[in-house]
Structure formats: C-alpha cells, structure tokens
Amino acid sequence: MALNKHMHPRNGYKDNPPDFIELSKQYPEFKPYVKYNPNGKAFVNFRIPSVVRILTKCLLHKDFELDVDLPSDRLSPTVPSRLNYILWIEDLLNATSQEFTKQRHIVDIGTGSACIYPLLGMRNNPDWKFTATEIDSLNFKNAVNNIEKNSLKSSIKVLKVDKSATTSLLLHLFQDANDGFDLCMCNPPFFNDSSEIETKIGPIANSSCHANDVESITDGGDLAFAHKLFEESLELKQKVTWYTILMGKKSSFVTFKKQISKYSEILVTTYEFCQGRTIRWGIGWSFCSDMITESKLPRSSLQNATKNSEVVKPITFSLRKTLELNYVYDSLKRELSILGISFMEIENNKNLVILKLQCEKCNWVHIRRRSRKRKLDGVCNGGSVKNLNLIEESPLTKNHSDCTLPNGVASTLLQCEVTILKDFFDHIKLQFKTEIRIQKEVMNTLVVYLKRILLSDIT
C-alpha cells in the first residue's frame, strides 16, 4: 500500500483503510474471505473475483448508506479509487465560478453497472445532478436499478446509448442550443484488444478484474477514446466547462497531454490518483479560463513530491471526532490570536480552509504567560482553565524564541501554510507546511503545541 499516502487528502480511506475484521462482523457474506497471517493481521486475497465485488457492496453500504447490486460478470469498481476522482472534480468545480442559483450538472460517460460515480457524487453533493450514459444493456439495467434502490431518480438520469445510431460521446446529448454541463467525466476502457490485456500492457491493479470486454476494450484503447472526446470538445467548447478523463496507461496520458497542450486557448490541468500500488492519471481541460481561478486548481501530493524532492514534508494530524469545520477554524484562530501569530485567509469553503501564518517569536513556549492571557480573555470552563496539556519549554524552543533567519527573512521566525479540511467521512484534518527548510523545527514545535490545545478543547 505504498502509494496510499498520496491519495486525495479528503479521501477518508487515506488514513482509515477498510477494517476487514469489523466488516466481517457486520457483513456475514464477507467473513469467509477474511484470512489471518501468522501475526494475527487480517487480509483478503483480491485475486479472488468475488472479493472486490462483495467488499465494494459492503463499503458502499457501511460508509455511504448505498445499497447496490453488482453483477458477477461485470466490473466491480473499487470504492477508494472512485472516490479519488469524485473529490478531484469537486476541486475543479470549487475553482470555477458559477451563478449563485445554478445547480452543478455533471455527465458521466459510460457509467457502468454500479453507477458508482453519480452515486458517490450525490452522497457528498446533494445539490448536484448527473446525466449518465451507458452502451451495455446489462450495465444500463443494473445502473437504473441501483439509482431506484437509493431513491435518486430525481437527481441521476441514465441514458442508454445505441452505438449503431451514434458514435459520439457527448454530441448526442445536446439537442437544444441551451444544453450544457459543468463537467464531463469518464473512465474509459484502457485496452485496444484482448491480446493487449493478456500481455498486460500498461499498469494492472493487484486484484482480479472481472470486467466484460465492453468495459475493458475499445478501438484504439484509452488514447483513441481521449482523442475522440477532445475532438468533440473542440466543437462544443464552452457548452461544457470542464472536460475530464481518467487514463490507465501513462504512455497514453503523456501523449494526450502533449497533444492538447499545443492549443493556447485551452487551460489544461492534471492529477495523479493513487491507491495501493496503482496509479491512474487524470487530465482536464477547459475553454472557460476566465471562469477559473488557476491558483485553486489541485495538485496531488505525488505530483508535488515528484516536482521537488527537497520540499519540506508537511505535518498532518487528524481530529477523529466528527466536528464542524467552522468550529475547528474558530478554535484555531483564537489560539493564533492569543499567541500573537498573524494569519491571512487564502481560501474558505464548506470542506476546506487555507491560511498563511507568520510569526516573529515562539510565544507558545512561554506557558505561564499564555495561561494568564487565557484567564484574562475568559477562555475557561466553569471558572477554571481546562487542563491544557502544554508542552514544556525545551532547549530547541528556547534557542528559537528570539532567533533570526538568514537570506532576507531576519524578522520572520516562521512562515507556513495551514490547511483545515473535512474528508469524505467528516473527519477534520490539519496540515502544516513550509517551503523554508530551516523553519521546519520551529513549525514542528508549533504543531505539537496546537495539536494538544485543540485536542484538549474539543474533548
């Protein structure tokens, strides 16, 4: 699971992978597949075709309250990887302006039997709506059934596409001049023919893939599919704000990105999706650059690590208790003000807050002074200050409390960025990062201090 650390930061499975023991207790049909190694650690053999199908059903029910049927002879999607894509398109739409009353409308090309992208998307964004297309009759029937079972007929519409009547991916959806979508998404078949699958050209997940040919093979593979979608986007242009595609072969991704990046009027962004030992590549493009705040476009942690291996590793901690993001944000602002740390809000939405911090002294090491200030400010519980579990002053913090830094930042002890985010399971995470390596130790002491204060305040 070496790449799980690079999953989308709001993906709840990043720090909380499925607990096979608990799942086996809650879902008897999963119990026979759970085995134990000599150390007593539970595991499952993903090469058994039915394992992925049953695990997907269990996770969708347990974590998202979704009841789905998955045919045994069709692809069973893995939940964490599909959730990565949904969270990425959330980021793209959050970086894109919209009218206040406008409802986000997404089209999913080739939705599959599970209809998993629309179902996951609606669970986290009930104000969205989806139009999904499907060419396979069994997949179409099962997708419609899953939508009806979860009472989402008013939000998700599935269209059966007749390949003999149209070869288009998107054009056939535009029957009216006013038709349009905020985003299109697709996870096309990776391979050109069955021989390509047999020789395992391209990355293959370490699990059994029980996909039908219609789900794994398309003429020309995923690269030809991407070119077809791009050609249609040149005709539709701003009728779709974002065009996105998930690609399974890096060679296809690199070639396609190079080709569409030649168009100066197009804004292109990419993302790397990680789960276990598997990497997939997302690419999005838009003809609506005037509606998009480019600085808000996401980059995966793997992309950042590849771009600069010398970047200071961020520090992250979680508040496991389910809390409102604004509550944690207010608590953090209060602590920063008490410590005399200046901060500027860079972004603030329902799932994400980003702050820039700057301070000149390690005031958090002066415990007595801080305790007196909390009393004066009335931060108390029933007349007595809470047990703050404060850190002791160490030689490190003593040395840094009034230090200066070289290279033109003499008056600034610490400059860092703080991200507060709520993941898909409503857990709050805080991440601290600095681009100045010499400031890492100071940032570490601040994080330890704030973590103890915040954990004390919310318990």
Side-chain angles (χ1 to χ4, degrees):
M1 301 298 176
L3 293 172
N4 279 358
K5 64 182 180 180
H6 296 299
M7 293 173 73
H8 192 286
R10 292 200 307 281
N11 193 320
Y13 297 110
K14 178 181 180 181
D15 299 316
N16 301 280
D19 186 329
F20 297 143
I21 297 177
E22 286 301 315
L23 284 172
S24 68
K25 294 177 181 177
Q26 294 182 46
Y27 300 94
E29 65 271 29
F30 185 63
K31 187 174 182 178
Y33 300 100
V34 179
K35 308 299 180 183
Y36 298 86
N37 65 18
N39 295 324
K41 183 177 180 180
F43 70 93
V44 296
N45 182 1
F46 286 106
R47 294 192 179 277
I48 300 174
S50 54
V51 166
V52 176
R53 177 168 55 86
I54 295 175
L55 178 59
T56 294
K57 287 170 60 70
C58 294
L59 290 178
L60 289 175
H61 186 269
K62 174 181 177 292
D63 295 329
F64 304 96
E65 297 181 352
L66 290 168
D67 181 14
V68 300
D69 288 326
L70 299 173
S72 59
D73 59 347
R74 290 296 188 272
L75 178 68
S76 296
T78 56
V79 178
S81 64
R82 269 51 176 190
L83 184 55
N84 278 333
Y85 197 172
I86 289 294
L87 296 171
W88 179 52
I89 70 172
E90 282 183 10
D91 293 337
L92 295 181
L93 293 176
N94 285 336
T96 308
S97 62
Q98 68 174 131
E99 298 174 12
F100 181 74
T101 57
K102 186 179 179 183
Q103 184 181 31
R104 295 296 197 188
H105 192 177
I106 294 95
V107 58
D108 177 23
I109 303 172
T111 197
S113 66
C115 199
I116 192 166
Y117 287 127
L119 290 175
L120 288 177
M122 291 307 305
R123 273 296 179 259
N124 204 40
N125 303 275
D127 54 337
W128 285 8
K129 67 176 180 178
F130 277 85
T131 294
T133 67
E134 180 54 54
I135 61 174
D136 181 69
S137 296
L138 178 58
N139 281 347
F140 170 75
K141 181 179 179 180
N142 206 75
V144 171
N145 179 57
N146 284 334
I147 292 168
E148 292 176 348
K149 287 179 67 174
N150 291 282
S151 303
L152 287 168
K153 286 181 64 176
S154 62
S155 301
I156 303 173
K157 180 180 181 181
V158 184
L159 303 176
K160 176 69 168 65
V161 178
D162 184 355
K163 286 190 69 175
S164 64
T166 180
T167 59
S168 80
L169 301 174
L170 277 177
L171 293 176
H172 65 280
L173 299 176
F174 292 82
Q175 304 297 327
D176 188 278
N178 295 322
D179 288 340
F181 297 96
D182 292 279
L183 183 143
C184 85
M185 63 187 306
C186 54
N187 183 6
F190 299 154
F191 303 106
N192 180 45
D193 52 42
S194 58
S195 64
E196 191 177 5
I197 299 176
E198 292 169 3
T199 55
K200 296 185 178 181
I201 296 177
I204 301 294
N206 189 31
S207 61
S208 175
C209 179
H210 210 66
N212 185 272
D213 282 354
V214 73
E215 298 170 307
S216 57
I217 297 173
T218 187
D219 290 341
D222 56 358
L223 182 57
F225 190 101
H227 282 152
K228 174 66 174 173
L229 181 61
F230 183 67
E231 290 172 2
E232 295 190 17
S233 76
L234 290 174
E235 183 173 342
L236 295 170
K237 292 193 173 181
Q238 295 183 350
K239 289 188 176 182
V240 179
T241 307
W242 278 107
Y243 301 86
T244 73
I245 184 170
L246 182 64
M247 308 188 78
K249 294 186 289 185
K250 189 172 184 179
S251 58
S252 299
F253 165 74
V254 171
T255 300
F256 183 60
K257 179 187 175 184
K258 183 177 180 180
Q259 291 172 344
I260 70 172
S261 295
K262 297 176 182 178
Y263 292 77
S264 58
E265 74 273 24
I266 297 176
L267 175 63
V268 178
T269 188
T270 62
Y271 202 86
E272 292 178 333
F273 302 94
C274 302
Q275 183 200 354
R277 298 180 179 88
T278 303
I279 303 177
R280 299 288 183 245
W281 295 268
I283 184 164
W285 64 98
S286 178
F287 298 85
C288 307
S289 58
D290 58 321
M291 298 172 56
I292 298 164
T293 305
E294 290 190 49
S295 62
K296 293 185 177 181
L297 293 177
R299 287 180 61 85
S300 71
S301 62
L302 183 60
Q303 286 174 303
N304 288 330
T306 304
K307 180 180 178 182
N308 185 359
S309 60
E310 296 300 317
V311 170
V312 180
K313 185 178 180 180
I315 303 173
T316 304
F317 67 88
S318 300
L319 305 177
R320 300 293 179 136
K321 185 177 179 180
T322 301
L323 298 166
E324 291 298 324
L325 186 143
N326 285 338
Y327 176 83
V328 177
Y329 182 26
D330 289 341
S331 298
L332 178 63
K333 286 192 295 183
R334 183 192 65 212
E335 299 300 332
L336 294 176
S337 297
I338 291 172
L339 292 171
I341 298 176
S342 60
F343 57 90
M344 178 174 64
E345 186 178 284
I346 304 301
E347 184 173 348
N348 188 348
N349 60 56
K350 68 175 183 177
N351 293 318
L352 179 71
V353 172
I354 300 177
L355 303 175
K356 291 283 188 182
L357 307 189
Q358 180 170 309
C359 62
E360 299 177 7
K361 291 186 178 182
C362 291
N363 288 331
W364 53 91
V365 304
H366 304 300
I367 300 173
R368 293 180 181 176
R369 180 189 307 173
R370 183 183 185 282
S371 180
R372 289 196 300 269
K373 187 169 181 61
R374 285 174 66 87
K375 290 179 181 180
L376 290 173
D377 289 344
V379 185
C380 56
N381 182 15
S384 61
V385 179
K386 291 183 180 181
N387 177 18
L388 300 178
N389 296 321
L390 302 178
I391 61 174
E392 296 295 332
E393 187 170 5
S394 66
L396 170 67
T397 55
K398 285 181 180 178
N399 292 337
H400 280 297
S401 61
D402 293 298
C403 72
T404 58
L405 297 174
N407 301 325
V409 288
S411 63
T412 302
L413 176 68
L414 176 63
Q415 292 176 323
C416 70
E417 180 178 286
V418 181
T419 300
I420 312 170
L421 62 87
K422 176 182 285 191
D423 69 20
F424 210 87
F425 298 146
D426 289 337
H427 293 147
I428 301 294
K429 299 179 182 179
L430 288 88
Q431 182 185 82
F432 295 73
K433 63 181 179 180
T434 179
E435 296 180 355
I436 305 174
R437 184 166 293 276
I438 197 174
Q439 296 183 358
K440 181 179 179 180
E441 290 180 282
V442 181
M443 185 177 73
N444 285 349
T445 66
L446 175 61
V447 173
V448 170
Y449 183 79
L450 288 175
K451 179 178 179 180
R452 293 187 181 184
I453 293 296
L454 290 175
L455 288 175
S456 175
D457 283 351
I458 67 174
T459 56

